[in-house]
Amino acid sequence: MCGIVGYTGGREATPIILDGLKRLEYRGYDSAGICTLRNGRSDMRRSEGKLFRLEKLLAEQPLSGTIGIGHTRWATHGRPSETNAHPHKAGPFIVVHNGIIENYLALKETLINLGHTFRSETDTEVISHLIEEKYKTASDFEQAVRIALSELRGAYAVCILCEREPGVLIAAKLGSPMVIGLGAEEYFVASDIPAILSHTREMVFMEDGELVVFRDGRAAFSTIAGRPLEKKPRHIDWSPLMAEKGGYKHFMLKEIFEQPRAIRDTLAGRLVEEHGDVFLNTIGLSGEELRAVDRICIVACGTSWHAALVGKFLIEDRCRIPVEVDIASEFRYRKPILNDRTLVILISQSGETADTLAALREGKARGARNIAICNVVDSSIARESNGVIYTHAGPEIGVASTKAFITQLVALYLFTIHLGRTLGTIDRDTGRTMIASLIQLPGLVEETLKTNGEIERIARTYLHASDFLYLGRGITYPIALEGALKLKEISYIHAEGYPAGEMKHGPIALIDENMPVVVLAPHSESYEKTVSNMEEVIARGGRVIALCTDGDEALPKKAESSIRIPPCPDDLTPVLLAVPLQLLAYHVAVMKGTDVDQPRNLAKSVTVE
């Protein structure tokens, strides 16, 4: 996830673009850049690192011009560096881009054969070179852009300038967000409303497959194929703080609703549907090295540890390799038995978690191979690992992890497919079936999010409970733990997660008419046993909130409250079950008046042991 800003009008572009990038820095913070046009010549400033570095560079080397584009980057292809920072230029064409171009390698190879020279490691640079190539036979800048965009596969929001047509700015969107701001004889382009809200409240929201050309003080909207469109602006009546949160009351709620997009971004460019395989070229291990692994240790803390527990179920079931899961702070002190046939997987949202970083170093010292699953590009854990699978959740502002957790689950699912295909435990047809299910997952999460209003009503019913119990079986048990953790973190209500079959070994003593019990009972092989455990809770007066599969008519009749999730394969139920539990914790916390985004005593990243 990156941030883009564009401007054309009568004012100096640089201050407007820089201010917009500051408001979008939550979308990317590993490099940034701005390009303006003046008298048909482009001038560009780019800098690695956070935006203040670019601001300092601009103070020393100012840019001038009334038309320009800017970008703040969160790396997907290519490490953070000045060379990989946007904008990217080929010939007279300058591009900023948010998204992932899935066929960039094939396009790049073709363009190199045609004589193009690439300077960066990014997928974005392909766009500028492709436009340059199409311009050779196109009638003008606009037609070259349309032809080039029609050949891209993946997701993008782009802003494009051309030195040969210095009064023209073109923007287009497919699968990545873009909003157009309408001013007085000026126009703004941005990835999100906050970037331009201080300049205008009249916004046009671009839809997938749409393009806009700003020329001679006018904006012409059309499809990328060229069909003209009439776009009506919307008046946005948000405060600046509301704008940063996308209109949501809290960052946590915004991030919960961003999860379908985060899943799509984590999947993008990694699915090889035809072969039933996953493209993970950053893990640092060859097929031969993976086949040499005879044991896996997954190490993590907090919410990431719950993702690790799900990973254990996935990998052992699909790949038939023994998996141990350790809390990172305990890993070193049990003197783990590791060797060069052991693979240690480290999971950390920030990549700076002190205990997980120490576990990584312990594993390396004992000769084990390692892979990190991480959200922050070029973080300490990512740098020190043999390889990394980046989750593309984007920056997560709320302290309680939501979209980072979901994308960790998706990353583990991707790794499971890749490992199973490498070992031969997953055949091509099974791989294709699993990938097909993954492709459907964002849509299923969107369906699950529609239960938000119902969950808010349920939360009000149990608002004053002092304790909660969460029960799950098999692969849903870690989600019971995660649901309990979310409630504890942000509402300060005591909650515990348990395997449902363990209830009779102690927790059943706590159950009375004041105890809400959240039972995770999707249709799966353990469904009947879970329902039996639920009956035992009901018999003792417990107040059951059941999470069940849509179409299950029996379970809601037994439970006091119920929440439905769409049908899906057992492997993916953890993702769908986690979403309502996030929403339940959120609404209870809001009703109790706690600080949802910054709960007491907690930090986003634990960087000391």
Side-chain angles (χ1 to χ4, degrees):
M1 185 167 72
C2 306
I4 60 174
V5 181
Y7 173 78
T8 179
R11 291 188 280 167
E12 281 293 320
T14 299
I16 295 168
I17 294 170
L18 185 61
D19 177 68
L21 293 179
K22 287 179 181 178
R23 299 172 191 274
L24 292 181
E25 194 170 14
Y26 69 91
R27 296 182 66 88
Y29 38 74
D30 61 49
S31 61
I34 293 177
C35 179
T36 59
L37 288 181
R38 186 179 185 186
N39 299 324
R41 295 186 61 183
S42 65
D43 201 1
M44 190 185 304
R45 304 286 183 269
R46 304 187 303 185
S47 178
E48 180 183 354
K50 294 191 175 182
L51 199 57
F52 75 87
R53 293 178 180 269
L54 177 64
E55 191 172 14
K56 182 179 178 182
L57 179 62
L58 287 166
E60 298 168 353
Q61 303 174 36
L63 287 176
S64 182
T66 58
I67 185 169
I69 54 179
H71 188 271
T72 180
R73 182 172 187 250
W74 190 81
T76 52
H77 293 91
R79 66 188 184 281
S81 69
E82 189 275 333
T83 302
N84 288 331
H86 298 213
H88 288 285
K89 186 173 186 284
F93 303 100
I94 306 102
V95 175
V96 292
H97 164 232
N98 172 28
I100 296 175
I101 305 304
E102 295 177 3
N103 61 333
Y104 88 99
L105 286 173
L107 290 171
K108 185 174 183 178
E109 184 178 351
T110 299
L111 289 163
I112 289 172
N113 291 335
L114 290 170
H116 291 257
T117 301
F118 286 78
R119 298 174 180 83
S120 77
E121 303 166 311
T122 68
D123 55 340
T124 301
E125 191 182 354
V126 164
I127 303 173
S128 55
H129 284 277
L130 189 60
I131 296 169
E132 182 187 23
E133 184 63 31
K134 301 305 177 184
Y135 189 70
K136 294 174 183 178
T137 54
S139 59
D140 59 9
F141 171 32
E142 180 182 337
Q143 187 187 39
V145 169
R146 291 184 190 278
I147 296 170
L149 294 180
S150 71
E151 295 187 11
L152 300 181
R153 195 171 72 244
Y156 57 77
V158 292
C159 277
I160 312 162
L161 297 173
C162 176
E163 291 174 324
R164 294 179 186 172
E165 298 186 36
V168 178
L169 171 63
I170 298 178
K173 164 188 161 33
L174 181 70
S176 292
M178 175 172 282
V179 61
I180 308 301
L182 311 180
E185 299 182 357
E186 60 183 357
Y187 296 96
F188 310 84
V189 184
S191 296
D192 207 349
I193 291 171
I196 55 179
L197 192 64
S198 61
H199 300 288
T200 180
R201 291 180 179 269
E202 300 304 311
M203 310 281 184
V204 172
F205 292 88
M206 299 283 282
E207 301 294 335
D208 284 350
E210 293 183 352
L211 177 145
V212 58
V213 180
F214 303 100
R215 180 191 286 117
D216 300 327
R218 297 195 304 270
F221 294 90
S222 65
T223 64
I224 291 171
R227 180 171 57 85
L229 297 171
E230 290 291 331
K231 301 286 288 186
K232 292 184 179 180
R234 279 178 51 195
H235 181 77
I236 304 299
D237 191 21
W238 290 355
S239 69
L241 185 59
M242 282 178 65
E244 287 181 28
K245 296 174 181 175
Y248 292 98
K249 188 174 181 180
H250 296 94
F251 280 110
M252 181 180 177
L253 187 61
K254 176 176 183 270
E255 288 157 5
I256 290 171
F257 275 83
E258 285 177 340
Q259 288 177 133
R261 190 274 310 158
I263 293 169
R264 289 187 180 101
D265 284 355
T266 299
L267 296 177
R270 288 171 166 167
L271 302 179
V272 188
E273 298 174 60
E274 182 181 353
H275 299 291
D277 205 347
V278 170
F279 181 62
L280 294 179
N281 63 326
T282 58
I283 61 174
L285 295 175
S286 66
E288 183 179 349
E289 289 170 319
L290 281 175
R291 283 187 285 271
V293 171
D294 61 12
R295 186 167 64 100
I296 295 175
C297 296
I298 311 181
V299 184
C301 299
T303 285
S304 297
W305 181 66
H306 299 154
L309 291 171
V310 174
K312 173 182 171 69
F313 281 98
L314 289 173
I315 295 168
E316 288 193 339
D317 179 37
R318 295 288 190 171
C319 304
R320 311 312 299 159
I321 288 183
V323 179
E324 300 171 12
V325 177
D326 276 87
I327 294 173
S329 57
E330 298 291 327
F331 184 67
R332 287 184 298 157
Y333 302 106
R334 70 173 179 86
K335 298 179 180 177
I337 301 170
L338 308 171
N339 56 42
D340 61 0
R341 298 178 67 84
T342 307
L343 175 63
V344 178
I345 300 176
L346 298 307
I347 307 179
S348 169
Q349 186 282 138
S350 68
E352 303 294 344
T353 310
D355 290 314
T356 309
L357 183 57
L360 165 63
R361 291 167 178 167
E362 178 74 11
K364 291 172 75 172
R366 293 177 180 269
R369 306 172 190 274
N370 59 75
I371 296 172
I373 294 176
C374 184
N375 192 41
V376 179
V377 173
D378 212 31
S379 56
S380 296
I381 290 172
R383 288 197 310 271
E384 293 192 28
S385 296
N386 298 145
V388 61
I389 303 172
Y390 283 118
T391 57
H392 293 162
E396 190 175 60
I397 308 301
V399 167
S401 182
T402 52
K403 62 179 181 174
F405 171 68
I406 292 297
T407 54
Q408 287 170 354
L409 296 180
V410 172
L412 285 162
Y413 199 86
L414 290 170
F415 176 74
T416 299
I417 296 172
H418 181 67
L419 180 61
R421 292 291 286 127
T422 301
L423 301 180
T425 58
I426 296 175
D427 61 28
R428 178 177 173 177
D429 288 344
T430 302
R432 293 174 72 171
T433 299
M434 294 174 74
I435 287 171
S437 298
L438 270 181
I439 292 169
Q440 298 299 316
L441 185 59
L444 296 178
V445 173
E446 287 170 348
E447 283 297 311
T448 306
L449 287 167
K450 293 178 182 177
T451 61
N452 181 44
E454 179 185 350
I455 293 169
E456 185 174 7
R457 290 190 292 273
I458 290 171
R460 194 173 300 281
T461 302
Y462 303 95
L463 171 63
H464 300 294
S466 58
D467 303 274
F468 272 69
L469 186 63
Y470 289 69
L471 301 177
R473 273 183 178 266
I475 201 169
T476 70
Y477 159 57
I479 306 306
L481 294 174
E482 174 63 11
L485 177 61
K486 282 291 156 285
L487 191 69
K488 283 185 280 195
E489 284 181 312
I490 62 172
S491 74
Y492 316 145
I493 293 174
H494 172 255
E496 291 188 57
Y498 261 88
E502 275 290 289
M503 188 178 60
K504 288 183 285 188
H505 296 271
I508 199 168
L510 298 171
I511 293 173
D512 60 19
E513 66 278 2
N514 298 314
M515 171 73 83
V517 181
V518 180
V519 180
L520 310 186
H523 268 303
S524 65
E525 61 182 7
S526 59
Y527 173 76
E528 292 182 359
K529 289 185 180 297
T530 305
V531 172
S532 176
N533 297 135
M534 188 182 82
E535 299 273 16
E536 292 167 349
V537 172
I538 294 169
R540 287 157 181 82
R543 307 176 67 187
V544 170
I545 306 168
L547 271 67
C548 60
T549 303
D550 196 19
D552 185 337
E553 301 300 329
L555 205 63
K557 293 176 182 177
K558 298 177 181 180
E560 185 174 282
S561 302
S562 62
I563 303 166
R564 299 173 187 269
I565 64 168
C568 72
D570 290 359
D571 285 354
L572 295 179
T573 54
V575 174
L576 298 189
L577 290 170
V579 174
L581 299 186
Q582 294 167 350
L583 289 168
L584 179 63
Y586 170 79
H587 287 300
V588 169
V590 169
M591 292 171 191
K592 289 180 69 69
T594 64
D595 189 340
V596 171
D597 287 331
Q598 295 182 321
R600 68 189 183 201
N601 305 330
L602 296 177
K604 186 62 184 172
S605 176
V606 181
T607 57
V608 294
E609 294 188 61

